[in-house]
Amino acid sequence: MSPALTLTSTTELWSSASSIASVKARASYYNPRLEPQNYHTDGRAFSTNPATRLRQMLARPGIIVAPGICDGISARCAREAGFECLYQSGAATTASRLGQPDLAIATLNDFSEAAEMVCGLDPTLPVIADADTGFGGPINIARTITKYARAGVAALHIEDQVQTKRCGHLTGKQIVPREEFVTRIRAAVAARDAIPGDSDLVIIGRTDSAQVLGMDEALLRLKLAADAGADALFIEGVKSIQLLELTVKTLAPKPVLVNVISGGLTPSFTSKEAEAVGAKIIIFSLASCVPMVHALRTAMKSLRETGTDFAAAQGMGPKEFFEVMGLRDAVELDAKAGGTSFNSI
């Protein structure tokens, strides 16, 4: 089916009473405080609050590029490279913390504890975190929102797979009914709005339904997620740049997030190509952990064969390694406090 035909049929879906009869009629969510125009900086410095900062980034022109990080080392390296936003990948976190595949094995605590560590490295740097299905029903989702907010994340996404989910770029996915997905988004938004102090936490609605039920259903679900209060929308496994462009145009003005995994369902188009068709956020979920596997395999093979790690170290000693991990900042803080333990190091 061509993109033009898909857009036409989707429009018909939205205007068809039968297509939305199963979703309870409710007024569309509206919170005037969260209007994008309220986050234009007009040349002023960005907020030090990471969620507010992300909203300001969404309100400016251009795409947000967020590399997937899996642990403290990858987060440090991404910051060193100059990225303004990070993505805590669920697949990468599961692999790093548990040594397991992305098959709903990691728990809420696994994810939130990892997020707390990453966000603590630079409390001003926005982190978008994978929240899987929200880890249960509305009450569980509310708890997820609270824990992620306390961890310091700027945004999170909740999807429409069943609880025993899998990586969005694997086959055989199962999807919950439309009504359940919308309920998940409503629960997330309500929990965010209940946080004292007017939290700016960004709620992202994600659908994995394109590969299971088709693009029409995927776009309809994202439209319903937007009506339920999602601040941004995430279509997983979009199979061409043309379909990404269709998604952006159909869901405008809501910002659209796209996930690129080399070798996955989505072609490996660049951030510039995604920006050219209007995508607002692009994440590269496995940008840290896949290269890490290649590097570690090479290093371990070398150590096994040569009996030394000298070649793999490439001249990086302990001090140089710790400097990447923030050694200088730690020493300076100790000195400012009057400490003398690290005068020589």
Side-chain angles (χ1 to χ4, degrees):
M1 181 179 291
S2 70
L5 288 176
T6 302
L7 179 57
T8 301
S9 60
T10 300
T11 304
E12 290 170 354
L13 267 174
W14 292 350
S15 62
S16 169
S18 61
S19 69
I20 59 173
S22 59
V23 179
K24 292 181 180 179
R26 291 171 182 254
S28 294
Y29 173 88
Y30 179 69
N31 187 333
R33 188 182 66 79
L34 299 179
E35 284 286 352
Q37 63 264 25
N38 294 331
Y39 293 89
H40 289 296
T41 60
D42 297 323
R44 299 186 302 274
F46 278 175
S47 172
T48 57
N49 178 287
T52 305
R53 191 183 193 92
L54 180 59
R55 288 185 181 273
Q56 292 170 332
M57 293 167 68
L58 287 169
R60 71 178 181 181
I63 196 168
I64 299 168
V65 182
I69 52 93
C70 59
D71 59 8
I73 296 175
S74 57
R76 287 281 188 184
C77 290
R79 291 176 67 248
E80 183 182 61
F83 284 101
E84 296 182 298
C85 184
L86 304 181
Y87 175 61
Q88 184 184 307
S89 161
T93 301
T94 302
S96 176
R97 291 180 68 88
L98 305 178
Q100 297 288 342
D102 187 13
L103 299 175
I105 297 170
T107 66
L108 168 58
N109 288 341
D110 291 322
F111 278 25
S112 62
E113 288 168 7
E116 184 176 17
M117 179 274 296
V118 170
C119 294
L121 298 178
D122 182 350
T124 69
L125 184 66
V127 174
I128 301 170
D130 189 347
D132 278 0
T133 62
F135 303 100
I139 297 173
N140 305 81
I141 290 170
R143 181 169 179 262
T144 297
I145 297 299
T146 300
K147 287 181 73 69
Y148 272 50
R150 287 176 177 169
V153 304
L156 58 86
H157 59 77
I158 292 179
E159 67 196 55
D160 57 358
Q161 285 197 58
V162 297
Q163 296 296 337
T164 50
K165 59 150 288 175
R166 63 196 64 195
C167 171
H169 288 254
L170 297 177
T171 59
K173 292 185 289 188
Q174 299 178 60
I175 307 300
V176 299
R178 196 184 293 163
E179 301 92 327
E180 184 171 344
F181 174 50
V182 174
T183 296
R184 289 176 181 179
I185 300 302
R186 285 199 189 105
V189 171
R192 187 271 315 280
D193 290 352
I195 296 173
D198 291 332
S199 172
D200 276 341
L201 180 68
V202 176
I203 305 297
I204 303 171
R206 162 179 157 174
T207 185
D208 287 69
S209 62
Q211 293 76 50
V212 182
L213 303 173
M215 280 294 295
D216 288 337
E217 177 66 19
L219 293 174
L220 175 56
R221 284 178 178 234
L222 290 179
K223 177 61 168 63
L224 291 171
D227 290 343
D231 301 293
L233 305 168
F234 176 178
I235 185 164
E236 181 65 296
V238 63
K239 291 187 175 182
S240 72
I241 196 73
Q242 292 79 17
L243 288 175
L244 176 59
E245 183 175 18
L246 169 67
T247 301
V248 170
K249 289 180 177 179
T250 304
L251 299 173
K254 286 289 184 180
V256 170
L257 180 154
V258 62
N259 179 24
V260 174
I261 296 179
S262 181
L265 295 172
T266 299
S268 293
F269 44 76
T270 67
S271 57
K272 288 185 178 180
E273 289 171 330
E275 182 177 25
V277 298
K280 193 61 186 178
I281 306 172
I282 185 169
I283 59 176
F284 295 87
S285 291
L286 302 184
S288 61
C289 55
V290 167
M292 191 179 295
V293 168
H294 289 307
L296 285 172
R297 279 178 164 173
T298 299
M300 292 302 167
K301 181 179 180 182
S302 175
L303 175 58
R304 178 75 173 174
E305 293 176 350
T306 67
T308 176
D309 69 344
F310 181 79
Q314 301 180 48
M316 178 179 280
K319 186 173 181 180
E320 290 78 15
F321 172 69
F322 295 141
E323 282 179 351
V324 179
M325 298 302 110
L327 175 64
R328 188 169 302 176
D329 291 339
V331 170
E332 289 178 358
L333 176 61
D334 183 78
K336 286 180 181 179
T340 59
S341 298
F342 303 113
N343 286 347
S344 177
I345 199 164

